[in-house]
Amino acid sequence: VHAALWMLEAMFFARAVLSFLMFSGTSFFERAYDVLCALTEPVITPLRMLFDRLEFAAESVIDIPFFVAYLIISVLAAVL
């Protein structure tokens, strides 16, 4: 369980870093980012649905559900 949480945490971190890079069409980084999104989005989606109901989160420029999911995973990895 701890190893799976660590891997998920690493995928979230890599996704955050890659989101700041500029992509050039079909670059390796863009494909890697797409794979990371496909792997991490199922964890974030329930939080997105929850935060979409909150007005301040819907208008935020920061992806709050992403950071909350990352925080939850980090805490679980530390506790378990």
Side-chain angles (χ1 to χ4, degrees), residues 34-60:
D34 290 342
V35 169
L36 289 170
C37 285
L39 293 171
T40 57
E41 200 59 38
V43 176
I44 302 168
T45 299
L47 291 171
R48 285 198 199 287
M49 294 186 325
L50 176 67
F51 278 93
D52 281 346
R53 296 179 184 167
L54 304 174
E55 188 173 316
F56 77 91
E59 298 174 5
S60 175

Side-chain angles (χ1 to χ4, degrees), residues 13-39:
F13 182 77
R15 177 181 170 172
V17 170
L18 288 175
S19 71
F20 287 102
L21 299 177
M22 296 300 292
F23 301 120
S24 60
T26 59
S27 71
F28 167 77
F29 294 114
E30 184 173 354
R31 288 191 301 266
Y33 180 77
D34 290 342
V35 169
L36 289 170
C37 285
L39 293 171

